[in-house]
Amino acid sequence: MVTMSTAPKIWTRETGLVEKRDVWAAMKRGFRGRCPRCGEGKLFRAFLKTADNCAKCGLDFTPHRADDLPAYLVIVIVGHIVVPTILWIETNYTTPIWLSFVAYLPFTFVASLALLQPVKGAVVGLQWALRMHGFDENPPDGIPPV
């Protein structure tokens, strides 16, 4: 059984002074597949596998918990592009069904694959900027790593 520390934390002015992290800059760096802190190191070692740490600044990427959020965001983004386009084409033009399938399905597939890694990088950048899931300098005591 793991026991939690019962010692109260004393908050002072110095404990409230932490590094400012720009959310938009971190998300843009992550969207480009770069480290959210320095913007130089690679964030991914494979298509959707994050690297263990940044080669330039040493930031540990293992605490990120992107999970299914990037996939949901990609579905929303691609759906908001594809569905109105399909509705506009189908109401204004008469296209054969085979042509519709040949055009819409590959575009949806390629757009989803193209956006998946950048969106995951932006989510990891957002988590770092907001100090979520272990990206804080002072993680809580007694919580084992996942």
Side-chain angles (χ1 to χ4, degrees), residues 29-57:
R29 290 172 183 157
F31 190 84
R32 291 189 333 249
R34 298 292 173 196
C35 171
R37 179 166 51 189
C38 68
E40 295 179 16
K42 290 186 177 183
L43 181 61
F44 296 99
R45 62 181 160 92
F47 180 62
L48 290 177
K49 297 282 186 190
T50 58
D52 292 332
N53 54 21
C54 177
K56 299 290 182 181
C57 68

mmCIF file of all heavy atoms in Angstrom, residues 29-57:
data_model
loop_
_atom_site.group_PDB
_atom_site.id
_atom_site.type_symbol
_atom_site.label_atom_id
_atom_site.label_comp_id
_atom_site.label_asym_id
_atom_site.label_seq_id
_atom_site.Cartn_x
_atom_site.Cartn_y
_atom_site.Cartn_z
ATOM 1 N N ARG A 29 4.269 24.654 -32.387
ATOM 2 C CA ARG A 29 5.461 23.812 -32.470
ATOM 3 C C ARG A 29 5.088 22.339 -32.529
ATOM 4 O O ARG A 29 5.653 21.570 -33.304
ATOM 5 C CB ARG A 29 6.362 24.077 -31.271
ATOM 6 C CG ARG A 29 7.011 25.437 -31.292
ATOM 7 C CD ARG A 29 7.728 25.705 -29.997
ATOM 8 N NE ARG A 29 8.298 27.034 -29.971
ATOM 9 C CZ ARG A 29 8.584 27.685 -28.870
ATOM 10 N NH1 ARG A 29 8.368 27.128 -27.682
ATOM 11 N NH2 ARG A 29 9.103 28.890 -28.925
ATOM 12 N N GLY A 30 4.132 21.926 -31.690
ATOM 13 C CA GLY A 30 3.677 20.544 -31.726
ATOM 14 C C GLY A 30 3.011 20.190 -33.037
ATOM 15 O O GLY A 30 3.180 19.088 -33.555
ATOM 16 N N PHE A 31 2.253 21.131 -33.618
ATOM 17 C CA PHE A 31 1.591 20.902 -34.907
ATOM 18 C C PHE A 31 2.635 20.645 -36.001
ATOM 19 O O PHE A 31 2.402 19.847 -36.907
ATOM 20 C CB PHE A 31 0.727 22.114 -35.269
ATOM 21 C CG PHE A 31 -0.172 21.895 -36.447
ATOM 22 C CD1 PHE A 31 -1.400 21.278 -36.293
ATOM 23 C CD2 PHE A 31 0.204 22.317 -37.711
ATOM 24 C CE1 PHE A 31 -2.237 21.075 -37.378
ATOM 25 C CE2 PHE A 31 -0.629 22.113 -38.797
ATOM 26 C CZ PHE A 31 -1.848 21.489 -38.632
ATOM 27 N N ARG A 32 3.781 21.306 -35.890
ATOM 28 C CA ARG A 32 4.861 21.098 -36.861
ATOM 29 C C ARG A 32 5.698 19.864 -36.543
ATOM 30 O O ARG A 32 6.654 19.565 -37.263
ATOM 31 C CB ARG A 32 5.763 22.330 -36.916
ATOM 32 C CG ARG A 32 5.102 23.535 -37.521
ATOM 33 C CD ARG A 32 6.073 24.678 -37.779
ATOM 34 N NE ARG A 32 7.230 24.686 -36.910
ATOM 35 C CZ ARG A 32 7.475 25.586 -35.960
ATOM 36 N NH1 ARG A 32 6.626 26.560 -35.751
ATOM 37 N NH2 ARG A 32 8.572 25.516 -35.233
ATOM 38 N N GLY A 33 5.395 19.166 -35.443
ATOM 39 C CA GLY A 33 6.131 17.963 -35.077
ATOM 40 C C GLY A 33 7.415 18.258 -34.339
ATOM 41 O O GLY A 33 8.329 17.434 -34.329
ATOM 42 N N ARG A 34 7.481 19.409 -33.704
ATOM 43 C CA ARG A 34 8.674 19.821 -32.967
ATOM 44 C C ARG A 34 8.393 19.857 -31.468
ATOM 45 O O ARG A 34 7.260 19.862 -31.037
ATOM 46 C CB ARG A 34 9.139 21.205 -33.435
ATOM 47 C CG ARG A 34 9.531 21.250 -34.885
ATOM 48 C CD ARG A 34 10.774 20.449 -35.094
ATOM 49 N NE ARG A 34 11.122 20.325 -36.506
ATOM 50 C CZ ARG A 34 11.969 19.428 -36.941
ATOM 51 N NH1 ARG A 34 12.535 18.586 -36.119
ATOM 52 N NH2 ARG A 34 12.250 19.362 -38.217
ATOM 53 N N CYS A 35 9.446 19.918 -30.704
ATOM 54 C CA CYS A 35 9.335 19.985 -29.247
ATOM 55 C C CYS A 35 8.562 21.229 -28.842
ATOM 56 O O CYS A 35 8.848 22.320 -29.339
ATOM 57 C CB CYS A 35 10.735 20.022 -28.632
ATOM 58 S SG CYS A 35 10.762 20.353 -26.865
ATOM 59 N N PRO A 36 7.568 21.115 -27.957
ATOM 60 C CA PRO A 36 6.793 22.291 -27.572
ATOM 61 C C PRO A 36 7.584 23.318 -26.775
ATOM 62 O O PRO A 36 7.223 24.489 -26.755
ATOM 63 C CB PRO A 36 5.648 21.724 -26.739
ATOM 64 C CG PRO A 36 5.978 20.324 -26.450
ATOM 65 C CD PRO A 36 7.057 19.891 -27.375
ATOM 66 N N ARG A 37 8.681 22.910 -26.132
ATOM 67 C CA ARG A 37 9.457 23.867 -25.342
ATOM 68 C C ARG A 37 10.466 24.625 -26.200
ATOM 69 O O ARG A 37 10.491 25.849 -26.191
ATOM 70 C CB ARG A 37 10.185 23.162 -24.202
ATOM 71 C CG ARG A 37 11.011 24.154 -23.385
ATOM 72 C CD ARG A 37 11.502 23.653 -22.059
ATOM 73 N NE ARG A 37 12.176 22.372 -22.117
ATOM 74 C CZ ARG A 37 12.528 21.689 -21.038
ATOM 75 N NH1 ARG A 37 12.262 22.161 -19.843
ATOM 76 N NH2 ARG A 37 13.133 20.537 -21.156
ATOM 77 N N CYS A 38 11.316 23.925 -26.949
ATOM 78 C CA CYS A 38 12.376 24.611 -27.690
ATOM 79 C C CYS A 38 12.046 24.798 -29.165
ATOM 80 O O CYS A 38 12.598 25.683 -29.814
ATOM 81 C CB CYS A 38 13.695 23.860 -27.551
ATOM 82 S SG CYS A 38 13.736 22.251 -28.370
ATOM 83 N N GLY A 39 11.174 23.978 -29.723
ATOM 84 C CA GLY A 39 10.809 24.100 -31.130
ATOM 85 C C GLY A 39 11.839 23.549 -32.086
ATOM 86 O O GLY A 39 11.710 23.712 -33.301
ATOM 87 N N GLU A 40 12.870 22.889 -31.584
ATOM 88 C CA GLU A 40 13.927 22.381 -32.454
ATOM 89 C C GLU A 40 13.972 20.857 -32.535
ATOM 90 O O GLU A 40 14.176 20.305 -33.609
ATOM 91 C CB GLU A 40 15.286 22.910 -31.974
ATOM 92 C CG GLU A 40 15.404 24.410 -32.109
ATOM 93 C CD GLU A 40 16.743 24.922 -31.607
ATOM 94 O OE1 GLU A 40 17.674 24.100 -31.455
ATOM 95 O OE2 GLU A 40 16.842 26.130 -31.365
ATOM 96 N N GLY A 41 13.821 20.176 -31.413
ATOM 97 C CA GLY A 41 13.888 18.715 -31.403
ATOM 98 C C GLY A 41 12.635 18.094 -31.993
ATOM 99 O O GLY A 41 11.569 18.699 -32.039
ATOM 100 N N LYS A 42 12.757 16.852 -32.452
ATOM 101 C CA LYS A 42 11.619 16.138 -33.030
ATOM 102 C C LYS A 42 10.706 15.625 -31.925
ATOM 103 O O LYS A 42 11.171 15.097 -30.919
ATOM 104 C CB LYS A 42 12.090 14.976 -33.890
ATOM 105 C CG LYS A 42 12.749 15.413 -35.170
ATOM 106 C CD LYS A 42 13.062 14.220 -36.031
ATOM 107 C CE LYS A 42 13.666 14.682 -37.345
ATOM 108 N NZ LYS A 42 13.933 13.556 -38.241
ATOM 109 N N LEU A 43 9.401 15.751 -32.156
ATOM 110 C CA LEU A 43 8.414 15.277 -31.197
ATOM 111 C C LEU A 43 8.081 13.808 -31.430
ATOM 112 O O LEU A 43 7.799 13.074 -30.495
ATOM 113 C CB LEU A 43 7.141 16.125 -31.292
ATOM 114 C CG LEU A 43 5.995 15.804 -30.354
ATOM 115 C CD1 LEU A 43 6.438 15.974 -28.904
ATOM 116 C CD2 LEU A 43 4.823 16.719 -30.635
ATOM 117 N N PHE A 44 8.144 13.350 -32.678
ATOM 118 C CA PHE A 44 7.746 11.980 -33.023
ATOM 119 C C PHE A 44 8.950 11.174 -33.485
ATOM 120 O O PHE A 44 9.797 11.666 -34.213
ATOM 121 C CB PHE A 44 6.696 11.993 -34.131
ATOM 122 C CG PHE A 44 5.409 12.639 -33.731
ATOM 123 C CD1 PHE A 44 5.128 13.942 -34.080
ATOM 124 C CD2 PHE A 44 4.478 11.948 -32.978
ATOM 125 C CE1 PHE A 44 3.950 14.551 -33.705
ATOM 126 C CE2 PHE A 44 3.295 12.538 -32.590
ATOM 127 C CZ PHE A 44 3.024 13.844 -32.955
ATOM 128 N N ARG A 45 8.979 9.889 -33.082
ATOM 129 C CA ARG A 45 9.998 8.975 -33.580
ATOM 130 C C ARG A 45 9.430 8.070 -34.662
ATOM 131 O O ARG A 45 10.168 7.462 -35.424
ATOM 132 C CB ARG A 45 10.600 8.147 -32.454
ATOM 133 C CG ARG A 45 9.638 7.245 -31.737
ATOM 134 C CD ARG A 45 10.362 6.479 -30.619
ATOM 135 N NE ARG A 45 9.439 5.971 -29.645
ATOM 136 C CZ ARG A 45 8.897 4.760 -29.688
ATOM 137 N NH1 ARG A 45 9.207 3.945 -30.655
ATOM 138 N NH2 ARG A 45 8.058 4.378 -28.755
ATOM 139 N N ALA A 46 8.114 7.961 -34.716
ATOM 140 C CA ALA A 46 7.408 7.232 -35.770
ATOM 141 C C ALA A 46 6.145 8.032 -36.086
ATOM 142 O O ALA A 46 5.968 9.135 -35.579
ATOM 143 C CB ALA A 46 7.067 5.817 -35.307
ATOM 144 N N PHE A 47 5.265 7.488 -36.916
ATOM 145 C CA PHE A 47 4.103 8.262 -37.370
ATOM 146 C C PHE A 47 3.297 8.839 -36.208
ATOM 147 O O PHE A 47 3.020 10.030 -36.173
ATOM 148 C CB PHE A 47 3.214 7.389 -38.261
ATOM 149 C CG PHE A 47 1.999 8.110 -38.769
ATOM 150 C CD1 PHE A 47 2.124 9.223 -39.585
ATOM 151 C CD2 PHE A 47 0.731 7.692 -38.429
ATOM 152 C CE1 PHE A 47 1.011 9.903 -40.050
ATOM 153 C CE2 PHE A 47 -0.385 8.358 -38.890
ATOM 154 C CZ PHE A 47 -0.238 9.459 -39.707
ATOM 155 N N LEU A 48 2.911 8.020 -35.244
ATOM 156 C CA LEU A 48 2.160 8.509 -34.089
ATOM 157 C C LEU A 48 2.830 8.197 -32.755
ATOM 158 O O LEU A 48 2.243 8.412 -31.710
ATOM 159 C CB LEU A 48 0.743 7.921 -34.092
ATOM 160 C CG LEU A 48 -0.178 8.440 -35.187
ATOM 161 C CD1 LEU A 48 -1.522 7.734 -35.129
ATOM 162 C CD2 LEU A 48 -0.370 9.938 -35.080
ATOM 163 N N LYS A 49 4.055 7.718 -32.785
ATOM 164 C CA LYS A 49 4.797 7.422 -31.550
ATOM 165 C C LYS A 49 5.656 8.626 -31.188
ATOM 166 O O LYS A 49 6.513 9.038 -31.957
ATOM 167 C CB LYS A 49 5.711 6.208 -31.734
ATOM 168 C CG LYS A 49 4.968 4.924 -32.033
ATOM 169 C CD LYS A 49 4.383 4.376 -30.786
ATOM 170 C CE LYS A 49 3.779 3.018 -31.087
ATOM 171 N NZ LYS A 49 3.001 2.531 -29.999
ATOM 172 N N THR A 50 5.414 9.162 -29.997
ATOM 173 C CA THR A 50 6.238 10.281 -29.567
ATOM 174 C C THR A 50 7.604 9.769 -29.125
ATOM 175 O O THR A 50 7.739 8.636 -28.671
ATOM 176 C CB THR A 50 5.583 11.039 -28.396
ATOM 177 O OG1 THR A 50 5.364 10.135 -27.325
ATOM 178 C CG2 THR A 50 4.294 11.693 -28.820
ATOM 179 N N ALA A 51 8.585 10.625 -29.285
ATOM 180 C CA ALA A 51 9.932 10.291 -28.819
ATOM 181 C C ALA A 51 9.916 10.269 -27.293
ATOM 182 O O ALA A 51 9.010 10.816 -26.653
ATOM 183 C CB ALA A 51 10.925 11.319 -29.340
ATOM 184 N N ASP A 52 10.919 9.649 -26.706
ATOM 185 C CA ASP A 52 10.991 9.602 -25.251
ATOM 186 C C ASP A 52 11.337 10.971 -24.669
ATOM 187 O O ASP A 52 10.821 11.354 -23.625
ATOM 188 C CB ASP A 52 12.012 8.568 -24.786
ATOM 189 C CG ASP A 52 11.553 7.153 -25.099
ATOM 190 O OD1 ASP A 52 10.330 6.927 -25.159
ATOM 191 O OD2 ASP A 52 12.414 6.284 -25.281
ATOM 192 N N ASN A 53 12.227 11.701 -25.360
ATOM 193 C CA ASN A 53 12.581 13.051 -24.912
ATOM 194 C C ASN A 53 13.120 13.846 -26.097
ATOM 195 O O ASN A 53 13.424 13.289 -27.138
ATOM 196 C CB ASN A 53 13.592 13.023 -23.754
ATOM 197 C CG ASN A 53 14.817 12.210 -24.088
ATOM 198 O OD1 ASN A 53 15.124 11.992 -25.242
ATOM 199 N ND2 ASN A 53 15.510 11.748 -23.075
ATOM 200 N N CYS A 54 13.238 15.134 -25.892
ATOM 201 C CA CYS A 54 13.734 16.033 -26.934
ATOM 202 C C CYS A 54 15.243 15.882 -27.042
ATOM 203 O O CYS A 54 15.949 15.887 -26.029
ATOM 204 C CB CYS A 54 13.358 17.477 -26.612
ATOM 205 S SG CYS A 54 14.008 18.673 -27.802
ATOM 206 N N ALA A 55 15.755 15.776 -28.264
ATOM 207 C CA ALA A 55 17.190 15.633 -28.478
ATOM 208 C C ALA A 55 17.933 16.942 -28.193
ATOM 209 O O ALA A 55 19.122 16.915 -27.892
ATOM 210 C CB ALA A 55 17.459 15.177 -29.906
ATOM 211 N N LYS A 56 17.243 18.073 -28.266
ATOM 212 C CA LYS A 56 17.902 19.373 -28.071
ATOM 213 C C LYS A 56 17.837 19.843 -26.620
ATOM 214 O O LYS A 56 18.853 20.191 -26.042
ATOM 215 C CB LYS A 56 17.266 20.431 -28.974
ATOM 216 C CG LYS A 56 17.378 20.136 -30.446
ATOM 217 C CD LYS A 56 18.804 20.285 -30.912
ATOM 218 C CE LYS A 56 18.866 20.017 -32.406
ATOM 219 N NZ LYS A 56 20.181 20.103 -32.927
ATOM 220 N N CYS A 57 16.635 19.909 -26.035
ATOM 221 C CA CYS A 57 16.511 20.480 -24.683
ATOM 222 C C CYS A 57 16.286 19.424 -23.599
ATOM 223 O O CYS A 57 16.299 19.745 -22.419
ATOM 224 C CB CYS A 57 15.382 21.512 -24.638
ATOM 225 S SG CYS A 57 13.735 20.815 -24.838
#
